[in-house]
């Protein structure tokens, strides 16, 4: 049961990583990185539950906080660019 859950989370992480690498726009990539971070938190929480160590829950919470702050920082950075620059990044060369 837990193995199936872990494999499902890993498959979702692989799909999110593929979207982050291949995403046509910068917004797709940002969302994919956020999904990857969220799935990492779920995987660490699952490992914590299976192993019975409460310390891993604290690590998962810190990782979630770092993921949230990083996404906000990237959104602020992208928001500083002009809309034309963002549109050019999403176009095919």
């Amino acid at each position: 049961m837990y193995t199936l859950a872990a494999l499902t989370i890993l498959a979702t992480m692989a799909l999110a990583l593929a979207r982050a690498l291949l995403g046509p726009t910068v917004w797709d990539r940002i969302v994919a990185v956020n999904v990857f971070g969220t799935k990492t938190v779920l995987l660490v929480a699952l490992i914590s539950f299976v192993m019975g160590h409460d310390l891993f829950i604290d690590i998962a919470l810190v990782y979630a906080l770092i993921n949230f702050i990083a996404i906000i920082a990237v959104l602020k950075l992208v928001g500083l660019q002009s809309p034309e620059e963002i549109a050019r990044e999403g176009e095919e060369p």
Side-chain angles (χ1 to χ4, degrees):
M1 174 88 171
Y2 299 122
T3 305
L4 180 64
L7 290 175
T8 304
I9 292 171
L10 287 173
T12 307
M13 289 172 71
L15 292 174
L17 188 61
R19 174 56 69 187
L21 295 175
L22 302 173
T25 66
V26 69
W27 306 111
D28 292 333
R29 291 182 173 134
I30 291 171
V31 170
V33 169
N34 192 15
V35 167
F36 188 84
T38 303
K39 297 305 175 191
T40 303
V41 170
L42 282 176
L43 188 62
V44 171
L46 180 66
I47 290 170
S48 172
F49 180 75
V50 170
M51 294 181 70
H53 293 291
D54 293 339
L55 178 65
F56 289 151
I57 291 293
D58 295 335
I59 293 171
L61 290 174
V62 169
Y63 188 83
L65 183 63
I66 291 171
N67 184 37
F68 175 74
I69 291 171
I71 291 298
I72 295 297
V74 168
L75 288 174
K76 293 274 271 181
L77 180 68
V78 171
L80 293 177
Q81 293 180 348
S82 68
E84 293 83 19
E85 291 176 0
I86 295 172
R88 267 187 270 140
E89 290 178 3
E91 293 177 356
E92 298 284 330

Coordinates of all heavy atoms in Angstrom, one line a residue:
M1 N 0.8 -1.2 0.0 CA 0.0 0.0 0.0 C 0.9 1.3 0.0 O 0.7 2.2 -0.8 CB -0.9 0.0 1.2 CG -1.7 1.2 1.4 SD -3.2 1.1 0.5 CE -4.1 2.5 1.1
Y2 N 1.8 1.3 0.9 CA 2.7 2.5 1.0 C 3.7 2.5 -0.2 O 4.0 3.6 -0.7 CB 3.5 2.5 2.3 CG 2.6 2.5 3.5 CD1 2.7 1.6 4.5 CD2 1.7 3.6 3.7 CE1 1.9 1.6 5.6 CE2 0.9 3.6 4.8 CZ 1.0 2.7 5.7 OH 0.2 2.7 6.8
T3 N 4.0 1.4 -0.7 CA 4.9 1.3 -1.9 C 4.2 1.9 -3.1 O 4.8 2.6 -3.9 CB 5.4 -0.1 -2.1 OG1 6.0 -0.6 -1.0 CG2 6.3 -0.2 -3.3
L4 N 2.9 1.5 -3.2 CA 2.1 2.1 -4.3 C 2.0 3.6 -4.2 O 2.1 4.3 -5.2 CB 0.7 1.4 -4.4 CG -0.2 1.9 -5.5 CD1 0.4 1.5 -6.8 CD2 -1.6 1.3 -5.3
A5 N 1.8 4.1 -3.0 CA 1.7 5.5 -2.8 C 3.0 6.2 -3.2 O 3.0 7.2 -3.8 CB 1.3 5.8 -1.4
A6 N 4.1 5.6 -2.7 CA 5.4 6.2 -3.0 C 5.7 6.2 -4.5 O 6.2 7.2 -5.1 CB 6.5 5.5 -2.3
L7 N 5.3 5.1 -5.2 CA 5.5 5.0 -6.6 C 4.6 6.0 -7.4 O 5.1 6.6 -8.4 CB 5.3 3.6 -7.1 CG 6.3 2.6 -6.7 CD1 5.9 1.2 -7.2 CD2 7.7 2.9 -7.3
T8 N 3.4 6.2 -6.9 CA 2.5 7.2 -7.5 C 3.1 8.6 -7.4 O 3.1 9.4 -8.3 CB 1.1 7.1 -6.9 OG1 0.7 5.8 -7.1 CG2 0.2 8.1 -7.6
I9 N 3.6 8.9 -6.2 CA 4.2 10.2 -5.9 C 5.4 10.4 -6.8 O 5.6 11.5 -7.4 CB 4.5 10.4 -4.4 CG1 3.2 10.5 -3.6 CG2 5.4 11.7 -4.2 CD1 3.4 10.4 -2.1
L10 N 6.2 9.4 -6.9 CA 7.4 9.5 -7.8 C 7.1 9.7 -9.2 O 7.7 10.4 -10.0 CB 8.3 8.3 -7.6 CG 9.1 8.2 -6.3 CD1 9.8 6.8 -6.1 CD2 10.1 9.3 -6.2
A11 N 6.0 9.0 -9.7 CA 5.6 9.2 -11.1 C 5.1 10.6 -11.3 O 5.4 11.2 -12.4 CB 4.5 8.2 -11.4
T12 N 4.4 11.1 -10.4 CA 3.9 12.5 -10.5 C 5.1 13.5 -10.5 O 5.0 14.5 -11.2 CB 2.9 12.8 -9.3 OG1 1.9 11.8 -9.3 CG2 2.3 14.2 -9.5
M13 N 6.1 13.2 -9.6 CA 7.3 14.0 -9.6 C 8.0 14.0 -11.0 O 8.5 15.0 -11.4 CB 8.2 13.6 -8.5 CG 7.7 13.9 -7.1 SD 8.7 13.2 -5.8 CE 10.1 14.3 -5.9
A14 N 8.0 12.8 -11.6 CA 8.7 12.7 -12.9 C 7.9 13.5 -14.0 O 8.5 14.2 -14.8 CB 8.8 11.3 -13.3
L15 N 6.6 13.5 -13.9 CA 5.8 14.3 -14.9 C 6.0 15.8 -14.6 O 6.1 16.5 -15.6 CB 4.3 13.9 -14.7 CG 4.0 12.5 -15.2 CD1 2.5 12.2 -14.9 CD2 4.2 12.3 -16.7
A16 N 6.0 16.2 -13.4 CA 6.2 17.6 -13.1 C 7.6 18.0 -13.5 O 7.8 19.2 -14.0 CB 6.0 17.8 -11.6
L17 N 8.6 17.2 -13.3 CA 10.0 17.5 -13.8 C 10.0 17.7 -15.3 O 10.7 18.6 -15.8 CB 11.0 16.5 -13.3 CG 12.4 16.8 -13.5 CD1 12.8 18.0 -12.8 CD2 13.3 15.6 -13.1
A18 N 9.3 16.8 -16.0 CA 9.2 16.9 -17.5 C 8.6 18.2 -17.9 O 9.0 18.8 -18.8 CB 8.5 15.7 -18.0
R19 N 7.5 18.6 -17.2 CA 6.8 19.8 -17.5 C 7.8 21.0 -17.2 O 7.8 22.0 -17.9 CB 5.5 19.9 -16.7 CG 4.8 21.3 -16.9 CD 4.6 21.7 -18.3 NE 3.6 20.8 -18.9 CZ 3.2 20.8 -20.2 NH1 3.8 21.7 -21.0 NH2 2.3 20.0 -20.7
A20 N 8.5 20.9 -16.1 CA 9.5 22.0 -15.8 C 10.6 22.1 -16.9 O 11.0 23.3 -17.1 CB 10.1 21.8 -14.4
L21 N 11.0 21.0 -17.4 CA 12.0 21.1 -18.5 C 11.5 21.5 -19.8 O 12.2 22.2 -20.6 CB 12.8 19.8 -18.5 CG 13.6 19.4 -17.3 CD1 14.1 18.0 -17.4 CD2 14.7 20.4 -17.0
L22 N 10.3 21.0 -20.1 CA 9.7 21.2 -21.5 C 8.6 22.3 -21.6 O 8.1 22.5 -22.7 CB 9.2 19.9 -22.0 CG 10.1 18.7 -22.1 CD1 9.4 17.5 -22.4 CD2 11.2 19.0 -23.1
G23 N 8.2 22.8 -20.4 CA 7.1 23.8 -20.4 C 7.2 24.9 -21.4 O 8.3 25.4 -21.6
P24 N 6.2 25.1 -22.2 CA 6.3 26.1 -23.2 C 6.4 27.6 -22.7 O 7.1 28.4 -23.3 CB 5.0 26.0 -24.1 CG 4.1 25.3 -23.2 CD 4.9 24.5 -22.2
T25 N 5.9 27.8 -21.5 CA 6.0 29.2 -21.0 C 6.7 29.1 -19.6 O 6.8 28.1 -19.0 CB 4.6 29.8 -20.8 OG1 3.9 29.1 -19.8 CG2 3.8 29.8 -22.1
V26 N 7.1 30.3 -19.2 CA 7.7 30.4 -17.8 C 6.7 30.0 -16.7 O 7.1 29.5 -15.7 CB 8.4 31.8 -17.7 CG1 7.4 32.8 -17.5 CG2 9.3 31.7 -16.5
W27 N 5.4 30.3 -17.0 CA 4.4 30.0 -15.9 C 4.2 28.6 -15.8 O 4.1 28.1 -14.6 CB 3.1 30.7 -16.3 CG 3.3 32.2 -16.6 CD1 3.2 32.8 -17.7 CD2 3.7 33.2 -15.6 NE1 3.4 34.2 -17.6 CE2 3.7 34.4 -16.3 CE3 3.9 33.2 -14.3 CZ2 4.1 35.6 -15.7 CZ3 4.3 34.3 -13.6 CH2 4.3 35.5 -14.3
D28 N 4.3 27.8 -16.9 CA 4.2 26.3 -16.8 C 5.4 25.8 -15.9 O 5.2 24.9 -15.1 CB 4.2 25.7 -18.1 CG 3.0 26.0 -18.9 OD1 1.9 26.2 -18.3 OD2 3.0 26.0 -20.2
R29 N 6.5 26.3 -16.2 CA 7.7 25.9 -15.5 C 7.6 26.2 -14.0 O 8.0 25.4 -13.1 CB 9.0 26.5 -16.1 CG 9.2 25.9 -17.4 CD 10.5 26.5 -18.0 NE 10.7 25.8 -19.3 CZ 11.1 26.4 -20.4 NH1 11.2 27.7 -20.5 NH2 11.3 25.7 -21.5
I30 N 7.1 27.4 -13.6 CA 7.0 27.8 -12.2 C 6.0 26.8 -11.5 O 6.3 26.3 -10.4 CB 6.6 29.2 -12.1 CG1 7.7 30.1 -12.5 CG2 6.2 29.6 -10.7 CD1 7.4 31.6 -12.7
V31 N 4.9 26.6 -12.1 CA 3.9 25.7 -11.5 C 4.4 24.3 -11.4 O 4.2 23.6 -10.4 CB 2.6 25.7 -12.4 CG1 1.6 24.6 -11.9 CG2 1.9 27.1 -12.3
A32 N 5.2 23.8 -12.4 CA 5.8 22.5 -12.3 C 6.8 22.4 -11.2 O 6.8 21.4 -10.5 CB 6.4 22.1 -13.7
V33 N 7.6 23.4 -11.0 CA 8.6 23.3 -9.9 C 7.8 23.4 -8.6 O 8.2 22.7 -7.6 CB 9.5 24.5 -10.0 CG1 10.4 24.7 -8.8 CG2 10.4 24.3 -11.2
N34 N 6.7 24.1 -8.5 CA 6.0 24.1 -7.2 C 5.3 22.8 -7.0 O 5.3 22.3 -5.8 CB 4.9 25.2 -7.3 CG 4.3 25.5 -6.0 OD1 4.8 25.1 -5.0 ND2 3.1 26.2 -6.0
V35 N 4.8 22.1 -8.0 CA 4.2 20.8 -7.8 C 5.3 19.8 -7.4 O 5.1 19.0 -6.6 CB 3.5 20.4 -9.2 CG1 3.2 18.9 -9.1 CG2 2.3 21.2 -9.4
F36 N 6.5 19.9 -8.0 CA 7.6 19.0 -7.7 C 7.9 19.2 -6.2 O 8.1 18.2 -5.5 CB 8.8 19.3 -8.6 CG 9.9 18.3 -8.4 CD1 9.9 17.1 -9.1 CD2 11.0 18.6 -7.5 CE1 10.9 16.2 -8.9 CE2 12.0 17.7 -7.4 CZ 12.0 16.5 -8.1
G37 N 8.0 20.4 -5.7 CA 8.3 20.6 -4.3 C 7.2 20.1 -3.4 O 7.5 19.5 -2.3
T38 N 6.0 20.3 -3.8 CA 4.9 19.8 -3.0 C 4.9 18.2 -2.9 O 4.7 17.6 -1.8 CB 3.5 20.2 -3.6 OG1 3.6 21.7 -3.6 CG2 2.4 19.8 -2.7
K39 N 5.2 17.6 -4.0 CA 5.3 16.1 -4.0 C 6.5 15.7 -3.2 O 6.4 14.6 -2.6 CB 5.4 15.6 -5.5 CG 4.2 15.9 -6.3 CD 2.9 15.4 -5.7 CE 1.7 15.9 -6.5 NZ 0.4 15.7 -5.8
T40 N 7.5 16.4 -3.2 CA 8.7 16.0 -2.4 C 8.3 16.1 -0.9 O 8.7 15.2 -0.1 CB 9.8 17.0 -2.6 OG1 10.2 17.0 -4.0 CG2 11.1 16.6 -1.8
V41 N 7.5 17.1 -0.5 CA 7.1 17.2 0.9 C 6.2 15.9 1.2 O 6.3 15.3 2.3 CB 6.3 18.5 1.1 CG1 5.6 18.5 2.5 CG2 7.2 19.6 1.0
L42 N 5.3 15.6 0.3 CA 4.5 14.4 0.5 C 5.3 13.1 0.6 O 5.0 12.3 1.5 CB 3.5 14.2 -0.6 CG 2.3 15.2 -0.6 CD1 1.5 14.9 -1.9 CD2 1.4 14.9 0.6
L43 N 6.3 13.0 -0.2 CA 7.2 11.8 -0.1 C 7.9 11.7 1.2 O 8.0 10.7 1.8 CB 8.1 11.8 -1.3 CG 8.9 10.5 -1.5 CD1 8.0 9.4 -1.8 CD2 9.9 10.7 -2.7
V44 N 8.4 12.9 1.6 CA 9.2 12.9 2.9 C 8.2 12.6 4.1 O 8.5 11.8 5.0 CB 9.9 14.2 3.1 CG1 10.4 14.3 4.5 CG2 11.0 14.4 2.1
A45 N 7.0 13.1 4.0 CA 6.0 12.8 5.0 C 5.6 11.3 5.0 O 5.5 10.7 6.1 CB 4.8 13.6 4.8
L46 N 5.5 10.7 3.8 CA 5.2 9.3 3.7 C 6.3 8.5 4.3 O 6.1 7.5 5.0 CB 4.9 8.9 2.3 CG 4.6 7.4 2.0 CD1 3.3 7.1 2.7 CD2 4.6 7.2 0.5
I47 N 7.6 8.8 4.0 CA 8.7 8.1 4.5 C 8.8 8.2 6.0 O 9.0 7.3 6.7 CB 10.0 8.6 3.9 CG1 10.1 8.2 2.4 CG2 11.2 8.1 4.6 CD1 11.2 8.9 1.6
S48 N 8.4 9.4 6.5 CA 8.4 9.6 8.0 C 7.3 8.7 8.6 O 7.6 8.1 9.7 CB 8.1 11.1 8.3 OG 7.8 11.3 9.7
F49 N 6.2 8.6 8.0 CA 5.1 7.8 8.6 C 5.5 6.3 8.5 O 5.3 5.6 9.5 CB 3.8 8.0 7.8 CG 2.7 7.2 8.3 CD1 2.0 7.5 9.5 CD2 2.3 6.0 7.6 CE1 1.0 6.7 9.9 CE2 1.2 5.3 8.1 CZ 0.6 5.6 9.2
V50 N 6.1 5.8 7.5 CA 6.5 4.4 7.3 C 7.6 4.1 8.3 O 7.6 3.0 9.0 CB 6.9 4.1 5.9 CG1 7.5 2.7 5.8 CG2 5.7 4.2 5.0
M51 N 8.6 5.0 8.4 CA 9.7 4.7 9.3 C 9.4 5.0 10.8 O 10.1 4.5 11.7 CB 11.0 5.4 8.8 CG 11.4 5.0 7.5 SD 12.9 5.9 6.9 CE 14.1 5.2 8.1
G52 N 8.4 5.8 11.0 CA 8.1 6.1 12.4 C 8.9 7.1 13.1 O 9.0 7.2 14.3
H53 N 9.6 7.9 12.2 CA 10.5 9.0 12.8 C 9.8 10.3 12.6 O 9.4 10.8 11.5 CB 11.8 9.1 12.0 CG 12.7 7.9 12.3 ND1 13.3 7.6 13.5 CD2 13.1 6.9 11.4 CE1 14.0 6.5 13.3 NE2 13.9 6.1 12.1
D54 N 9.5 11.0 13.8 CA 8.9 12.3 13.7 C 9.8 13.4 13.2 O 9.3 14.5 12.8 CB 8.4 12.7 15.1 CG 7.3 11.8 15.6 OD1 6.6 11.1 14.7 OD2 7.0 11.7 16.8
L55 N 11.1 13.2 13.2 CA 12.0 14.2 12.8 C 11.8 14.5 11.3 O 11.9 15.7 10.9 CB 13.5 13.7 13.0 CG 14.6 14.7 12.5 CD1 14.5 15.9 13.4 CD2 15.9 14.0 12.7
F56 N 11.4 13.6 10.5 CA 11.2 13.8 9.1 C 10.1 14.7 8.8 O 10.0 15.4 7.8 CB 11.1 12.5 8.3 CG 12.3 11.6 8.2 CD1 12.3 10.3 8.2 CD2 13.6 12.3 8.2 CE1 13.4 9.5 8.1 CE2 14.7 11.5 8.1 CZ 14.7 10.1 8.1
I57 N 9.1 14.7 9.7 CA 8.0 15.6 9.5 C 8.4 17.1 9.6 O 8.0 17.9 8.9 CB 6.8 15.3 10.5 CG1 6.2 14.0 10.2 CG2 5.8 16.4 10.5 CD1 5.4 14.0 8.9
D58 N 9.3 17.3 10.6 CA 9.9 18.7 10.7 C 10.7 19.0 9.5 O 10.6 20.2 9.0 CB 10.8 18.7 11.9 CG 10.1 18.5 13.2 OD1 8.8 18.8 13.2 OD2 10.7 18.1 14.2
I59 N 11.4 18.1 8.9 CA 12.2 18.4 7.7 C 11.2 18.7 6.5 O 11.5 19.6 5.7 CB 13.1 17.2 7.4 CG1 14.2 17.0 8.4 CG2 13.7 17.3 6.0 CD1 15.0 15.8 8.3
A60 N 10.1 17.9 6.5 CA 9.1 18.2 5.4 C 8.5 19.6 5.5 O 8.3 20.2 4.5 CB 8.1 17.1 5.4
L61 N 8.3 20.0 6.8 CA 7.7 21.3 7.0 C 8.7 22.4 6.6 O 8.3 23.4 6.0 CB 7.2 21.5 8.4 CG 6.0 20.6 8.8 CD1 5.7 20.7 10.3 CD2 4.8 21.0 8.0
V62 N 9.9 22.2 6.9 CA 10.9 23.2 6.6 C 11.1 23.3 5.1 O 11.2 24.3 4.5 CB 12.3 22.9 7.3 CG1 13.4 23.8 6.7 CG2 12.1 23.2 8.8
Y63 N 11.1 22.1 4.4 CA 11.2 22.1 3.0 C 10.0 22.7 2.3 O 10.1 23.4 1.3 CB 11.3 20.6 2.5 CG 11.6 20.5 1.0 CD1 12.9 20.6 0.6 CD2 10.6 20.3 0.1 CE1 13.2 20.6 -0.8 CE2 10.9 20.3 -1.3 CZ 12.2 20.4 -1.7 OH 12.5 20.3 -3.0
A64 N 8.8 22.5 2.9 CA 7.6 23.2 2.3 C 7.7 24.7 2.4 O 7.3 25.4 1.5 CB 6.4 22.7 3.0
L65 N 8.2 25.2 3.6 CA 8.4 26.6 3.7 C 9.4 27.2 2.8 O 9.2 28.2 2.2 CB 8.8 26.9 5.2 CG 9.0 28.4 5.6 CD1 7.6 29.1 5.4 CD2 9.5 28.5 7.0
I66 N 10.5 26.5 2.6 CA 11.5 26.9 1.6 C 11.0 26.9 0.2 O 11.2 27.8 -0.6 CB 12.8 26.0 1.8 CG1 13.5 26.3 3.1 CG2 13.8 26.3 0.6 CD1 14.6 25.3 3.4
N67 N 10.2 25.9 -0.1 CA 9.6 25.8 -1.5 C 8.6 27.0 -1.7 O 8.7 27.6 -2.7 CB 8.8 24.5 -1.6 CG 8.3 24.3 -3.0 OD1 8.9 24.7 -4.0 ND2 7.1 23.7 -3.0
F68 N 7.9 27.3 -0.7 CA 6.9 28.5 -0.8 C 7.7 29.8 -1.0 O 7.3 30.6 -1.8 CB 6.0 28.5 0.5 CG 5.1 29.7 0.5 CD1 4.0 29.7 -0.3 CD2 5.4 30.8 1.4 CE1 3.2 30.8 -0.2 CE2 4.6 31.8 1.4 CZ 3.4 31.9 0.6
I69 N 8.7 30.0 -0.2 CA 9.4 31.3 -0.3 C 10.2 31.3 -1.6 O 10.2 32.4 -2.2 CB 10.4 31.4 0.9 CG1 9.7 31.6 2.2 CG2 11.4 32.5 0.7 CD1 10.5 31.5 3.5
A70 N 10.7 30.2 -2.1 CA 11.4 30.2 -3.4 C 10.4 30.6 -4.5 O 10.8 31.3 -5.4 CB 12.1 28.9 -3.6
I71 N 9.2 30.0 -4.5 CA 8.2 30.3 -5.5 C 7.8 31.7 -5.5 O 7.7 32.4 -6.5 CB 7.0 29.3 -5.4 CG1 7.5 27.9 -5.7 CG2 5.9 29.7 -6.3 CD1 8.0 27.7 -7.1
I72 N 7.6 32.3 -4.3 CA 7.3 33.7 -4.2 C 8.4 34.6 -4.8 O 8.1 35.5 -5.5 CB 6.9 34.1 -2.8 CG1 5.7 33.3 -2.3 CG2 6.8 35.6 -2.6 CD1 4.4 33.7 -3.0
A73 N 9.6 34.2 -4.5 CA 10.8 35.0 -5.0 C 10.9 34.9 -6.5 O 11.1 35.9 -7.2 CB 12.1 34.5 -4.4
V74 N 10.6 33.7 -7.1 CA 10.7 33.6 -8.5 C 9.5 34.4 -9.2 O 9.7 35.0 -10.2 CB 10.6 32.1 -8.9 CG1 10.4 31.9 -10.4 CG2 11.9 31.4 -8.5
L75 N 8.4 34.3 -8.6 CA 7.2 35.1 -9.1 C 7.5 36.6 -9.1 O 7.1 37.3 -10.0 CB 5.9 34.7 -8.4 CG 5.4 33.3 -8.6 CD1 4.2 33.1 -7.7 CD2 5.0 33.2 -10.1
K76 N 8.1 37.0 -8.0 CA 8.5 38.5 -7.9 C 9.5 38.8 -9.0 O 9.4 39.9 -9.6 CB 9.0 38.8 -6.6 CG 8.1 38.7 -5.4 CD 7.3 39.9 -5.2 CE 7.9 40.9 -4.3 NZ 7.0 42.1 -4.2
L77 N 10.5 37.9 -9.2 CA 11.5 38.1 -10.2 C 10.9 38.2 -11.6 O 11.2 39.0 -12.4 CB 12.6 37.0 -10.2 CG 13.7 37.2 -11.2 CD1 14.5 38.4 -10.8 CD2 14.5 35.9 -11.1
V78 N 10.0 37.2 -11.9 CA 9.3 37.2 -13.2 C 8.4 38.4 -13.4 O 8.3 39.0 -14.5 CB 8.6 35.9 -13.4 CG1 7.7 35.9 -14.7 CG2 9.5 34.7 -13.5
G79 N 7.8 38.8 -12.3 CA 6.9 39.9 -12.3 C 7.6 41.2 -12.6 O 7.0 42.2 -13.1
L80 N 8.9 41.3 -12.4 CA 9.7 42.5 -12.7 C 9.9 42.7 -14.2 O 10.2 43.7 -14.6 CB 11.0 42.5 -11.9 CG 10.9 42.6 -10.4 CD1 12.2 42.5 -9.8 CD2 10.2 43.9 -10.0
Q81 N 9.8 41.6 -14.9 CA 10.0 41.6 -16.4 C 8.8 42.2 -17.0 O 7.7 42.2 -16.5 CB 10.3 40.3 -17.0 CG 11.6 39.6 -16.5 CD 11.8 38.3 -17.1 OE1 10.9 37.7 -17.7 NE2 13.0 37.7 -17.0
S82 N 9.0 42.8 -18.2 CA 7.9 43.4 -18.9 C 7.1 42.2 -19.6 O 7.6 41.2 -19.8 CB 8.4 44.3 -20.0 OG 9.1 43.6 -21.0
P83 N 5.8 42.4 -19.8 CA 5.0 41.4 -20.4 C 5.5 41.0 -21.8 O 5.4 39.8 -22.2 CB 3.6 42.0 -20.6 CG 3.6 43.1 -19.6 CD 5.0 43.6 -19.4
E84 N 6.2 41.9 -22.6 CA 6.7 41.5 -23.9 C 7.9 40.5 -23.7 O 8.0 39.6 -24.5 CB 7.2 42.7 -24.6 CG 6.1 43.7 -25.0 CD 5.7 44.6 -23.9 OE1 6.5 44.8 -23.0 OE2 4.5 45.1 -24.0
E85 N 8.7 40.7 -22.7 CA 9.8 39.8 -22.5 C 9.3 38.4 -22.1 O 9.8 37.4 -22.5 CB 10.7 40.3 -21.4 CG 11.5 41.6 -21.8 CD 12.3 42.1 -20.6 OE1 12.3 41.5 -19.5 OE2 13.0 43.1 -20.8
I86 N 8.3 38.4 -21.3 CA 7.7 37.1 -20.8 C 7.1 36.4 -22.0 O 7.2 35.2 -22.2 CB 6.7 37.3 -19.7 CG1 7.4 37.8 -18.5 CG2 6.0 36.0 -19.4 CD1 6.5 38.2 -17.4
A87 N 6.4 37.1 -22.9 CA 5.7 36.5 -24.1 C 6.8 36.0 -25.0 O 6.6 34.9 -25.6 CB 4.9 37.5 -24.8
R88 N 7.9 36.7 -25.2 CA 9.0 36.2 -26.1 C 9.6 34.9 -25.6 O 10.0 34.1 -26.4 CB 10.1 37.3 -26.2 CG 9.8 38.2 -27.4 CD 11.0 39.1 -27.6 NE 10.7 40.3 -26.8 CZ 11.6 41.0 -26.1 NH1 12.8 40.7 -26.1 NH2 11.2 42.1 -25.4
E89 N 9.7 34.7 -24.2 CA 10.3 33.5 -23.7 C 9.4 32.3 -24.0 O 9.9 31.2 -24.2 CB 10.4 33.6 -22.2 CG 11.5 34.6 -21.8 CD 11.6 34.7 -20.3 OE1 10.9 34.0 -19.6 OE2 12.4 35.5 -19.8
G90 N 8.1 32.5 -24.2 CA 7.2 31.4 -24.5 C 7.1 31.0 -25.9 O 6.6 30.0 -26.3
E91 N 7.6 31.9 -26.8 CA 7.5 31.7 -28.2 C 8.6 30.7 -28.7 O 9.6 30.6 -28.1 CB 7.7 33.0 -29.0 CG 6.5 33.9 -28.8 CD 6.8 35.2 -29.5 OE1 7.9 35.4 -30.1 OE2 5.9 36.1 -29.4
E92 N 8.2 30.0 -29.8 CA 9.2 29.1 -30.4 C 10.2 29.9 -31.2 O 9.9 30.9 -31.8 CB 8.5 28.1 -31.4 CG 7.5 27.2 -30.7 CD 8.1 26.1 -29.9 OE1 9.2 25.7 -30.3 OE2 7.5 25.7 -28.9
P93 N 11.5 29.5 -31.2 CA 12.5 30.3 -31.9 C 12.4 30.1 -33.4 O 11.9 29.1 -33.9 CB 13.8 29.8 -31.4 CG 13.5 28.5 -30.8 CD 12.1 28.5 -30.4

